[in-house]
Amino acid sequence: MDRIPLGRRHFLKGAATLGAAVAAASTLPGCGSLIGKRNTFDISLAQWSLHRRFFSGDASPMDFAAITRQEFEIGGVEYVNQFYKDNLSDALVQDLRQRADNEGVRSLLIMIDGEGALGAPTEADRKQTVDNHKKWADAAHALGCHSIRVNAQSQGSYDEQRERAADGLVKLAEYCEPLGLNVLVENHGGLSSNARWLSQVMETANHPRVGTLPDFGNFTINRETGESYDKYQGVRELMPYAQAVSAKSYAFDAQGNETSIDFHRMMDIVMAVGYSGWVGVEYEGDRHSEAEGIILTRDLLRSIKG
C-alpha cells in the first residue's frame, strides 16, 4: 500500500473534520452507525495478540501465518520483531515468506521495538537508531510488507522532541523509500500518545513515506500521573496520516461489544477519511484467552464491516 501523497494530506485533514461531524451525528438519538455497508476494509492479525503463546513456547513464531489462517481465518499478518531478533537471518525471512505464501496470507508490516530512540537528543544517537532499524526494514521488504511500525521516543521539551523525532523518522524514511516501505509511528506512550504532538511530528517530517498507525487504546501519556488523551479525538487526529490501523481490544460483554472502546464509533472515525486498508486485531486483555479475544475482536470488526 503506497503512502498517501502530501497533497492528499490536506484533503484528508478536511475529511477528518467532516469525520468529527459524522461521529457526532452518529451519537444523536435515532442515528445508527454511519458506516453502513458502503465502506470496506481488510482484517489482519497483530502478532502481539499471541505473545503469551509465543513467549511460553506453546507455539513457534515461525507458525504465525499458519495459525492466523487456520485457527482464525484471517488473511493478513503484522509481525513483531521481538519474536525473531535472536535469530534474524535471510534464511529465516525467506522461510517466513514461504510459509505466508503457502497459507495465502499477506505479510503487511513489522512492529519494531527495542532498537533505540528515533528522537534521541544527539544526531549521532539518532543515526545509530536508524542503523539499528535497517535490518528490520530489509526484512520487511523481503517479506513483501508495505511498512515498518516504529516508535517516536525522544527527550527534551515538547518542541525539541517534535523536531528530534521528525528528524529521526525522515532519516529512516530516506533508507526505506527505495525499498517501497512506509515508516509508521504508533501512539505508544509518552508524547506519542498525545495525538496533537504526533500530528505535528508528521507535519514537521513532511515526508511521503512517514505516517501513522493509530491504535485504539494506546493513549496513556504518563502512567504515573494517569495523564491521557481522548482516544476518539486521538484517532481522529491521526487518521489523515494513517497507513495501518490497530483495533486494540481488552474485554467484551455478552453481546460481543468491547467494554472500554466503542468500536462502531472508532470505525466511523476511521472510515470518515476514506480509509480502506487493513485493520489489525490486537487483543491485549486477560479476561478472555488470547484465542477468544482474537475471535471476539475479529467478529466485532466483521459485524461492522457488514
Side-chain angles (χ1 to χ4, degrees), residues 233-253:
Q233 180 65 23
V235 171
R236 185 176 294 114
E237 292 178 3
L238 296 178
M239 278 308 302
Y241 313 96
Q243 286 295 297
V245 172
S246 179
K248 178 66 62 60
S249 60
Y250 302 97
F252 294 82
D253 61 22

Side-chain angles (χ1 to χ4, degrees), residues 78-149:
E78 302 172 8
Y79 301 95
V80 172
N81 74 322
Q82 294 181 54
F83 299 115
Y84 308 101
K85 63 180 182 179
D86 292 335
N87 53 356
L88 180 67
S89 66
D90 291 344
L92 180 144
V93 172
Q94 289 305 315
D95 191 2
L96 283 175
R97 177 158 190 164
Q98 187 62 58
R99 289 168 185 250
D101 290 347
N102 290 345
E103 298 294 337
V105 169
R106 290 276 303 276
S107 296
L108 302 174
L109 57 88
I110 300 177
M111 297 185 176
I112 305 171
D113 298 296
E115 294 293 358
L118 282 167
T122 70
E123 173 119 8
D125 285 343
R126 291 194 294 275
K127 182 180 182 302
Q128 182 60 58
T129 298
V130 169
D131 289 343
N132 293 346
H133 280 72
K134 288 179 180 178
K135 59 182 177 292
W136 297 110
D138 293 341
H141 174 67
L143 285 166
C145 297
H146 63 71
S147 300
I148 56 174
R149 189 281 277 150

Side-chain angles (χ1 to χ4, degrees), residues 3-306:
R3 178 74 179 102
I4 298 173
L6 288 176
R8 174 78 169 149
R9 290 186 181 182
H10 300 291
F11 167 79
L12 289 179
K13 283 184 181 178
T17 301
L18 173 62
V22 168
S26 68
T27 65
L28 295 175
C31 293
S33 170
L34 297 182
I35 294 175
K37 297 185 179 181
R38 298 177 291 103
N39 300 284
T40 184
F41 56 90
D42 294 307
I43 299 172
S44 53
L45 180 61
Q47 193 169 18
W48 191 253
S49 299
L50 292 165
H51 68 275
R52 296 185 185 92
R53 189 185 296 192
F54 291 134
F55 280 136
S56 69
D58 289 342
S60 169
M62 299 302 298
D63 293 328
F64 178 41
I67 292 169
T68 299
R69 174 64 76 187
Q70 296 173 21
E71 187 172 344
F72 302 113
E73 299 177 345
I74 292 175
V77 290
E78 302 172 8
Y79 301 95
V80 172
N81 74 322
Q82 294 181 54
F83 299 115
Y84 308 101
K85 63 180 182 179
D86 292 335
N87 53 356
L88 180 67
S89 66
D90 291 344
L92 180 144
V93 172
Q94 289 305 315
D95 191 2
L96 283 175
R97 177 158 190 164
Q98 187 62 58
R99 289 168 185 250
D101 290 347
N102 290 345
E103 298 294 337
V105 169
R106 290 276 303 276
S107 296
L108 302 174
L109 57 88
I110 300 177
M111 297 185 176
I112 305 171
D113 298 296
E115 294 293 358
L118 282 167
T122 70
E123 173 119 8
D125 285 343
R126 291 194 294 275
K127 182 180 182 302
Q128 182 60 58
T129 298
V130 169
D131 289 343
N132 293 346
H133 280 72
K134 288 179 180 178
K135 59 182 177 292
W136 297 110
D138 293 341
H141 174 67
L143 285 166
C145 297
H146 63 71
S147 300
I148 56 174
R149 189 281 277 150
V150 302
N151 296 296
Q153 302 106 318
S154 187
Q155 297 178 39
S157 70
Y158 181 100
D159 291 338
E160 286 172 337
Q161 291 192 57
R162 183 193 67 236
E163 295 292 332
R164 291 165 178 171
D167 181 64
L169 288 167
V170 169
K171 284 178 166 60
L172 181 55
E174 288 171 349
Y175 180 82
C176 289
E177 188 164 24
L179 302 178
L181 288 173
N182 303 310
V183 177
L184 307 183
V185 183
E186 180 182 352
N187 45 300
H188 208 203
L191 273 178
S192 75
S193 289
N194 180 325
R196 180 174 179 271
W197 178 83
L198 188 51
S199 296
Q200 291 172 352
V201 170
M202 294 297 107
E203 292 302 308
T204 302
N206 196 30
H207 192 287
R209 287 286 174 180
V210 175
T212 61
L213 193 163
D215 183 292
F216 290 177
N218 287 348
F219 285 100
T220 300
I221 298 170
N222 188 319
R223 293 185 183 277
E224 293 183 2
T225 65
E227 180 187 3
S228 64
Y229 203 86
D230 181 85
K231 52 182 167 285
Y232 304 104
Q233 180 65 23
V235 171
R236 185 176 294 114
E237 292 178 3
L238 296 178
M239 278 308 302
Y241 313 96
Q243 286 295 297
V245 172
S246 179
K248 178 66 62 60
S249 60
Y250 302 97
F252 294 82
D253 61 22
Q255 289 71 46
N257 292 309
E258 219 287 339
T259 58
S260 61
I261 301 171
D262 184 338
F263 264 53
H264 289 271
R265 183 179 176 187
M266 278 297 194
M267 290 306 297
D268 277 338
I269 294 168
V270 168
M271 295 292 107
V273 298
Y275 182 82
S276 59
W278 294 83
V279 177
V281 170
E282 188 172 12
Y283 174 67
E284 202 173 70
D286 53 17
R287 185 178 303 178
H288 317 279
S289 70
E290 288 183 329
E292 290 169 340
I294 290 168
I295 291 169
L296 285 163
T297 311
R298 178 203 67 187
D299 289 352
L300 179 52
L301 288 172
R302 284 179 175 176
S303 72
I304 293 170
K305 184 176 179 181

